[in-house]
């Protein structure tokens, strides 16, 4: 079944453009694309943009743009959505030019998220360059990255009916972990290319539409350097360094100026559909990914080297 091939771009509506530009360029190492009075774009690769950041009150995700292989595949996908009773509108030339794509159709997922289906996301006029990165961001056939969206009470059957049965995503795996008595995290991960997941869904206590967007780098040193930049800038973290058991991503989570997170990672798993088997795992993290407050308390409670040395000397 033809469907989307990658997450091409996202659009965020934010309250503070200056803080967001500093966050994306100086801390994450993205390249500033175009800047206007009420918006700017961020580049991760040769494409014209991967993030579009606009001024507004939402401080949240407002658009997910998914690219389709070509015109014929887009026409089939639009017809499939309409046959399922969904409203799908063709974007005009002004919207296509704004998104730097050849064709664009818009629809809405079961949670009310705006979805744009596009072909031909344009390359930028200049090569990608980052003053912060040693390596590059991982995009290419895997698209811009992945995002985790919040279900907000919409059933799994309903949103899978949209993303799997209509857009053509495949299930990668499921994680169900009891975080505390009576509190269970239950997430499902979906892929549309070799990247372990392009989108995932879970019900979490957050008013946001998105929990996080993941950007991946080719050089593990860039994870450490970005971690240091965020620490030095006093940018609040959601989770410290750690690794996931399903996609094997080594990463940390840092809050954006809008209150949702960015996962910054390296080493993500590539799926081969010919051999991949869907599993249900019982933990979200192989190790690490601890809340920063917990880590700070543990470090503060640890004995000083002098105390440790004195104890060891007394035992001898």
């Amino acid at each position: 079944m033809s469907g989307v091939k990658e997450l091409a771009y996202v659009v965020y509506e934010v309250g503070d453009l200056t803080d967001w530009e500093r966050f994306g360029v100086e801390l994450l190492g993205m390249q500033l694309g175009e800047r206007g009075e009420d918006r700017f774009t961020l580049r991760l690769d040769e494409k014209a943009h991967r993030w579009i950041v606009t001024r507004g009150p939402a401080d949240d995700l407002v658009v997910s743009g998914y690219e389709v292989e070509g015109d014929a595949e887009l026409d089939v996908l639009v017809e499939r959505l309409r046959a399922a009773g969904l409203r799908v509108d063709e974007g005009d030339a002004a919207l296509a030019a704004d998104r730097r794509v050849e064709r664009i159709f818009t629809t809405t997922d079961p949670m009310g998220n705006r979805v744009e289906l596009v072909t031909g996301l344009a390359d930028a006029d200049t090569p990608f360059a980052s003053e912060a990165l040693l390596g590059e961001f991982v995009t290419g056939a895997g698209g811009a990255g992945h995002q985790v969206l919040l279900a907000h009470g919409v059933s799994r059957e309903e949103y899978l009916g949209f993303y799997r049965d209509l857009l053509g995503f495949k299930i990668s795996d499921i994680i169900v972990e009891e975080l505390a008595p009576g509190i269970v995290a239950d997430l499902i991960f979906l892929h549309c290319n070799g990247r372990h997941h392009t989108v995932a869904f879970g019900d979490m206590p957050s008013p946001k539409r998105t929990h996080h967007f993941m950007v991946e780098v080719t050089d593990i040193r860039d994870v450490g350097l970005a971690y240091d930049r965020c620490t030095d800038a006093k940018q609040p973290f959601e989770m410290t360094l750690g690794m996931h058991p399903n996609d094997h991503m080594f990463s940390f989570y840092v809050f954006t100026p809008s209150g949702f997170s960015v996962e910054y990672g390296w080493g993500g798993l590539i799926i081969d559909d010919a051999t991949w088997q869907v599993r249900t795992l019982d933990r979200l993290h192989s190790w690490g990914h601890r809340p920063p407050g917990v880590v700070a308390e543990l470090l503060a409670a640890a004995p000083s080297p002098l105390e440790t040395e004195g104890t060891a000397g007394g035992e001898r």
Side-chain angles (χ1 to χ4, degrees):
M1 180 177 68
S2 62
V4 303
K5 70 169 187 174
E6 66 177 61
L7 177 58
Y9 59 83
V10 287
V11 183
Y12 296 119
E13 187 178 279
V14 310
D16 190 331
L17 288 176
T18 301
D19 205 14
W20 256 90
E21 184 177 329
R22 176 194 67 91
F23 177 76
V25 176
E26 295 181 17
L27 301 189
L28 302 187
M30 298 177 178
Q31 180 183 356
L32 181 67
E34 300 175 348
R35 185 197 286 118
E37 182 179 353
D38 292 315
R39 57 174 271 166
F40 64 87
T41 63
L42 292 169
R43 295 178 56 192
L44 278 73
D45 56 12
E46 77 283 356
K47 295 298 180 182
H49 51 239
R50 292 297 192 172
W51 287 12
I52 303 172
V53 183
T54 65
R55 189 190 309 277
D59 272 317
D60 205 348
L61 173 75
V62 292
V63 176
S64 298
Y66 294 99
E67 187 161 7
V68 180
E69 190 66 46
D71 288 339
E73 290 82 0
L74 180 58
D75 290 338
V76 169
L77 183 53
V78 168
E79 179 58 32
R80 187 188 307 142
L81 290 164
R82 287 173 173 166
L86 296 177
R87 176 175 174 174
V88 185
D89 297 318
E90 184 168 9
D92 59 17
L95 181 60
D98 181 81
R99 302 296 197 246
R100 300 289 302 275
V101 299
E102 294 175 0
R103 297 178 68 198
I104 181 168
F105 286 82
T106 67
T107 189
T108 305
D109 78 4
M111 282 75 70
N113 299 308
R114 177 177 167 119
V115 171
E116 296 181 351
L117 304 170
V118 306
T119 59
L121 177 61
D123 288 346
D125 297 329
T126 59
F128 174 77
S130 170
E131 296 182 1
L133 293 186
L134 298 175
E136 300 174 332
F137 288 108
V138 177
T139 56
H146 78 235
Q147 58 182 348
V148 174
L149 304 180
L150 302 175
H152 291 305
V154 174
S155 71
R156 181 158 293 172
E157 178 182 12
E158 188 173 356
Y159 61 69
L160 284 182
F162 179 82
Y163 282 92
R164 179 191 60 190
D165 301 340
L166 296 178
L167 296 192
F169 282 85
K170 299 177 182 179
I171 297 174
S172 303
D173 45 43
I174 299 167
I175 298 181
V176 181
E177 180 182 0
E178 186 173 19
L179 303 175
I183 301 177
V184 176
D186 186 352
L187 286 88
I188 187 166
F189 302 82
L190 309 177
H191 65 278
C192 59
N193 50 53
R195 191 185 290 279
H196 175 274
H197 58 283
T198 287
V199 66
F201 300 94
D203 251 326
M204 291 171 266
S206 169
K208 302 291 185 183
R209 294 182 178 275
T210 183
H211 176 266
H212 73 264
F213 188 102
M214 187 282 307
V215 291
E216 184 178 0
V217 289
T218 60
D219 192 320
I220 192 173
R221 296 174 296 175
D222 279 320
V223 177
L225 289 169
Y227 190 86
D228 280 354
R229 290 194 298 270
C230 292
T231 301
D232 292 343
K234 299 181 175 59
Q235 192 71 26
F237 288 86
E238 182 182 13
M239 287 181 272
T240 56
L241 291 164
M243 182 175 285
H244 292 298
N246 58 343
D247 67 351
H248 301 175
M249 191 72 70
F250 168 67
S251 63
F252 65 89
Y253 289 70
V254 62
F255 283 112
T256 69
S258 293
F260 57 89
S261 292
V262 165
E263 180 185 8
Y264 203 98
W266 170 87
L269 187 68
I270 301 298
I271 281 180
D272 179 357
D273 276 321
T275 58
W276 185 256
Q277 295 184 346
V278 177
R279 300 179 298 159
T280 298
L281 296 84
D282 62 359
R283 64 186 61 191
L284 292 168
H285 315 290
S286 299
W287 61 269
H289 284 156
R290 297 185 179 191
V294 171
V295 174
E297 290 175 4
L298 290 171
L299 292 174
S304 70
L306 292 177
E307 291 172 338
T308 304
E309 182 178 342
T311 302
E315 290 177 351
R316 285 196 299 269

